[in-house]
């Protein structure tokens, strides 16, 4: 059933407007509940996220929250970045692609619903498996208050910081990022939370 709270997303001027509307009609036909999450239409099964519609400059996409667990017989699921562990996308650049893939899209959605009903979970890499830059290890070794604050963070926030620090190519940049993030760590926030 259409959720009026989500209508603004489909009514706003966007290069993907026709694609969004076609995806919405397909998803509403699957029996999922339409909700608004992260400013995007999200389709849920028993209040659990299954699939989301979102757009970027180059494409719009369906994002399957547990896409890593789907079989993907058509080999159309894309891992957005190498650090994304669970979600997978099906990307579109025009409405005809969506029309041509309607049956496939529905089969992937139905499989994602079954994954939720079965209670399947993605096995995530542990925080200890992520690379810890030497510059951050040194800070943790030398400053027990920073170490305590970092260890008090949720595993997801810890991983976020480790990825953020590791992505810098130069030691000087890693040190700068670490220094800027220490106040956020003390506040219990993730590196991109404000």
């Amino acid at each position: 059933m259409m959720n009026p709270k989500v209508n603004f997303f489909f009514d706003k001027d966007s290069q993907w407007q026709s694609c969004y509307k076609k995806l919405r009609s397909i998803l509403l036909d699957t029996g999922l509940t339409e909700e608004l999450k992260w400013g995007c239409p999200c389709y849920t099964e028993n209040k659990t996220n299954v699939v989301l519609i979102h757009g970027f400059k180059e494409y719009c996409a369906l994002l399957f929250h547990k896409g890593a667990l789907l079989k993907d017989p058509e080999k159309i699921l894309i891992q957005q970045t190498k650090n994304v562990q669970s979600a997978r996308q099906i990307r579109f650049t025009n409405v005809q692609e969506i029309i041509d893939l309607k049956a496939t899209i529905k089969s992937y959605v139905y499989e994602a619903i079954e994954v939720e009903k079965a209670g399947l979970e993605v096995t995530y890499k542990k925080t200890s498996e992520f690379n810890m830059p030497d510059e951050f290890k040194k800070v943790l070794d030398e400053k027990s208050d920073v170490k305590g604050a970092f260890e008090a963070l949720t595993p997801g926030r810890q991983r976020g910081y480790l990825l953020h620090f590791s992505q810098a190519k130069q030691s000087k940049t890693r040190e700068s990022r670490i220094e800027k993030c220490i106040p956020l760590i003390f506040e219990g926030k993730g590196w991109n939370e404000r």
Side-chain angles (χ1 to χ4, degrees):
M1 187 162 79
M2 283 190 190
N3 182 336
K5 292 180 182 175
V6 184
N7 286 342
F8 85 93
F9 182 88
F10 297 100
D11 294 338
K12 67 182 177 183
D13 189 30
S14 166
Q15 67 178 340
W16 307 117
Q17 191 175 40
S18 60
C19 292
Y20 290 155
K21 288 179 178 178
K22 188 65 181 170
L23 289 170
R24 182 186 207 187
S25 71
I26 292 169
L27 294 174
L28 288 173
D29 198 34
T30 64
L32 291 171
T33 302
E34 184 177 66
E35 298 184 37
L36 181 65
K37 296 188 178 186
W38 307 285
C40 296
C42 184
Y43 298 83
T44 63
E45 171 70 25
N46 290 328
K47 301 192 186 285
T48 304
N49 302 332
V50 176
V51 62
L52 177 103
I53 298 173
H54 60 165
F56 298 88
K57 188 177 181 179
E58 312 270 322
Y59 61 89
C60 68
L62 287 178
L63 177 108
F64 290 88
H65 292 274
K66 293 183 181 175
L69 298 177
L70 301 181
K71 293 182 182 89
D72 193 19
E74 303 298 323
K75 305 292 182 227
I76 57 175
L77 292 177
I78 297 169
Q79 186 176 1
Q80 194 171 356
T81 69
K82 67 179 178 123
N83 297 316
V84 172
Q85 296 184 61
S86 180
R88 298 292 184 270
Q89 295 176 327
I90 300 177
R91 295 178 179 174
F92 308 99
T93 56
N94 62 65
V95 76
Q96 190 60 49
E97 290 175 328
I98 297 166
I99 293 166
D100 293 345
L101 283 174
K102 181 179 177 181
T104 301
I105 292 167
K106 277 190 167 184
S107 71
Y108 277 57
V109 171
Y110 289 132
E111 183 184 357
I113 292 169
E114 291 307 313
V115 163
E116 284 307 325
K117 286 181 177 177
L120 301 179
E121 295 294 333
V122 174
T123 304
Y124 293 99
K125 282 174 39 178
K126 292 179 174 48
T127 302
S128 60
E129 296 176 62
F130 283 78
N131 177 42
M132 181 173 296
D134 293 336
E135 297 84 356
F136 190 53
K137 185 174 179 354
K138 182 180 177 191
V139 169
L140 297 181
D141 290 345
E142 293 175 357
K143 299 180 179 180
S144 60
D145 56 340
V146 176
K147 182 178 182 177
F150 182 74
E151 289 175 350
L153 294 172
T154 63
R157 286 184 174 118
Q158 291 177 3
R159 289 189 295 270
Y161 279 114
L162 294 177
L163 288 170
H164 178 58
F165 300 154
S166 304
Q167 289 171 342
K169 292 183 173 83
Q170 296 181 2
S171 178
K172 184 176 170 181
T173 308
R174 287 190 292 275
E175 288 171 357
S176 172
R177 286 184 179 187
I178 292 163
E179 196 61 38
K180 287 178 185 172
C181 288
I182 288 174
L184 290 171
I185 292 171
F186 280 127
E187 290 177 36
K189 294 181 177 179
W191 78 268
N192 59 352
E193 291 178 62
R194 299 289 176 237

